[in-house]
Amino acid sequence: MGILDRFSDIVKANVNELLDRAEDPAKMIDQYMRNLTDSLAEVREQTAGVMAEEARCKRLVDANAADVAKYDGLARTALAAGNEDDARTFLAKKQDLQAQGQAAAEAYAAAKANADKMRQMHDKLVSDIEALSARREGIKAKVAVAKTQEMVNDIASGADKAAGAMSAFDRMEAKADAMLDRANAMEDLSSAPADPIADLERKYAADAAGAQVDDELAKMKAEMGL
């Protein structure tokens, strides 16, 4: 498995793991950002290694080209001096170097392609992290608002319960009033009914008693000469 595929699997695994155990989005987004930052450090290190390989291959290609040019020049110099055998030797070396240069060029092309991919992935990851960082605050703000809304809902529910309790107290108070009214009515009904004849009897009995007192008082005053 190539490094690009392996890194992609690591990132996907991190995302899936977070989604599977997501409870608090604010905490999860922070954890995901930490994972991405760790992954970026790994990608940066690997990218540096691939770029170093690209640079090494480029140096080999450049050195080979310089050697090819060198032996081509020596062959021309030898030929100009009339040393055809020497020129042939230099040309043979040049051809060997050219064959090596072809392999070096192919290795450099592959190394450059890998380096380009790594640089693109590194740059995209950096850009994604910056974009997610900007979105993170928005996500955390939404979570904070959601939690506040839940708290408000809980308080409102408590207020509704309090209102229900007040209504229950009102009903109990009304029932108590009704019970008191009923008790008072029962007391009134239990009292002896008024008897007008008895009242008249008591009135005239009081009048008779008063007359007797007056008679006795007059008699006492006569005896005393008053």
Side-chain angles (χ1 to χ4, degrees):
M1 177 184 294
I3 181 174
L4 301 180
D5 294 335
R6 184 170 66 84
F7 173 74
S8 177
D9 290 342
I10 291 174
V11 173
K12 289 179 181 178
N14 288 337
V15 174
N16 292 332
E17 180 182 358
L18 289 173
L19 290 176
D20 289 341
R21 57 186 178 88
E23 296 176 357
D24 187 334
K27 293 181 180 178
M28 290 301 101
I29 195 68
D30 286 341
Q31 181 61 49
Y32 183 52
M33 291 300 298
R34 285 192 291 270
N35 289 351
L36 280 181
T37 302
D38 292 341
S39 298
L40 175 60
E42 180 181 356
V43 170
R44 181 175 287 121
E45 181 180 355
Q46 297 294 340
T47 300
V50 174
M51 291 176 65
E53 178 63 16
E54 176 195 14
R56 186 186 71 83
C57 291
K58 181 65 166 61
R59 285 195 299 273
L60 291 177
V61 169
D62 292 342
N64 177 266
D67 287 342
V68 168
K70 169 186 171 183
Y71 284 102
D72 180 83
L74 289 173
R76 292 176 183 276
T77 301
L79 190 59
N83 297 320
E84 186 173 331
D85 290 339
D86 293 342
R88 182 177 289 106
T89 300
F90 289 138
L91 288 176
K93 179 64 175 178
K94 172 187 173 182
Q95 290 177 356
D96 289 340
L97 290 171
Q98 286 177 326
Q100 296 174 16
Q102 182 63 32
E106 292 175 357
Y108 169 67
K112 185 177 186 305
N114 286 335
D116 290 342
K117 289 179 181 179
M118 290 297 294
R119 277 192 294 264
Q120 290 173 3
M121 186 177 66
H122 172 271
D123 294 344
K124 184 178 185 305
L125 185 55
V126 170
S127 177
D128 288 346
I129 290 176
E130 291 176 351
L132 289 174
S133 295
R135 292 177 59 190
R136 173 174 59 180
E137 297 306 318
I139 294 174
K140 296 176 74 171
K142 290 180 180 180
V143 171
V145 171
K147 289 182 177 179
T148 302
Q149 186 63 48
E150 289 178 356
M151 180 186 68
V152 171
N153 292 340
D154 291 341
I155 294 175
S157 176
D160 291 341
K161 292 178 180 178
M166 292 294 293
S167 177
F169 270 70
D170 290 341
R171 292 194 300 272
M172 286 187 285
E173 185 175 13
K175 186 174 182 179
D177 290 341
M179 292 173 64
L180 181 59
D181 292 340
R182 182 179 179 86
N184 290 334
M186 291 295 294
E187 182 180 3
D188 291 341
L189 291 174
S190 298
S191 300
D195 187 349
I197 295 178
D199 290 342
L200 289 174
E201 289 178 354
R202 285 192 294 273
K203 175 182 178 182
Y204 285 105
D207 290 344
Q212 289 177 357
V213 171
D214 290 341
D215 290 344
E216 188 174 355
L217 179 62
K219 183 179 179 180
M220 186 178 292
K221 286 172 66 178
E223 291 176 353
M224 293 176 64
L226 298 176

